[in-house]
Amino acid sequence: HRQTSSNRALTFNSNLTLRNLLTRTKNPPKPENIPNAIYEIPCGDCPGTYCGQTRRPLHKRIAEHQSSTRRANNIPGEELQFKSGVAHHTLNTGHRITFKSTGILTSAQHLTQLDLLEHTETKVRKLALNRLH
C-alpha cells in the first residue's frame, strides 16, 4: 500500500495469478483446424517452399493443393492453368511436394491482415514456389 496526498490507500491488483497461468479450461485447436492462417508447404526435392493463406481450416486447403497436384501429374503435355502454385511447381519440375510437412507460420486475428502476412512471408523466403501475379 502507498498513501496518497488525500490519505487514501493506493493498491495494485492484477488478474495475472498463478492459477490463471497454470490452468486452461479449453484445449487449443489442432494446427490443421486453425482458420485465418499463413502456411508453408515444402518441396521434397528442392529447398523451395510454397507460402499460402486460408480463411478455412488448413486441412481443407491442403486437400485442394493435393487434388490440383494429382490433376497436374495425370495430364502430361498440356498447357494447364492452375490455381495452385504447388501444382504448377510439380508440373514444371517433376518434384514431389511433402504435404505432411506443411506447417502454420502464423495466424491472423483479422482477415484484413492475411494478404500482408502472406506477402511478407513469401518475400522472406528466397526460394518461394509462389507464382508472381
Side-chain angles (χ1 to χ4, degrees):
H1 298 303
R2 186 176 136 211
Q3 294 294 328
T4 64
S5 60
S6 61
N7 288 331
R8 294 178 191 216
L10 180 65
T11 62
F12 174 77
N13 186 10
S14 172
N15 289 331
L16 186 63
T17 65
L18 187 58
R19 181 179 185 163
N20 290 345
L21 289 172
L22 296 178
T23 60
R24 285 192 175 189
T25 58
K26 194 175 181 183
N27 290 332
K30 293 180 180 178
E32 64 270 11
N33 292 329
I34 295 175
N36 304 329
I38 305 299
Y39 60 91
E40 177 180 57
I41 305 172
C43 178
D45 295 324
C46 74
T49 61
Y50 174 84
C51 293
Q53 66 169 282
T54 184
R55 291 174 169 88
R56 298 172 292 144
L58 180 59
H59 67 91
K60 291 183 179 185
R61 183 65 184 115
I62 296 306
E64 291 171 351
H65 281 297
Q66 290 172 322
S67 175
S68 186
T69 300
R70 279 191 301 274
R71 281 194 309 262
N73 291 330
N74 288 332
I75 309 174
E78 290 188 27
E79 185 61 35
L80 301 173
Q81 297 295 321
F82 293 105
K83 293 181 181 178
S84 171
V86 174
H88 188 262
H89 180 71
T90 61
L91 182 65
N92 288 329
T93 64
H95 289 182
R96 294 169 289 125
I97 302 299
T98 52
F99 289 105
K100 290 185 182 210
S101 297
T102 298
I104 292 181
L105 300 172
T106 188
S107 61
Q109 293 283 333
H110 304 284
L111 294 178
T112 56
Q113 298 170 325
L114 282 176
D115 288 336
L116 178 60
L117 289 170
E118 179 187 21
H119 179 76
T120 302
E121 291 293 345
T122 301
K123 289 295 181 189
V124 167
R125 284 151 181 75
K126 294 184 189 316
L127 297 171
L129 304 179
N130 299 61
R131 294 175 294 164
L132 301 175
H133 300 287

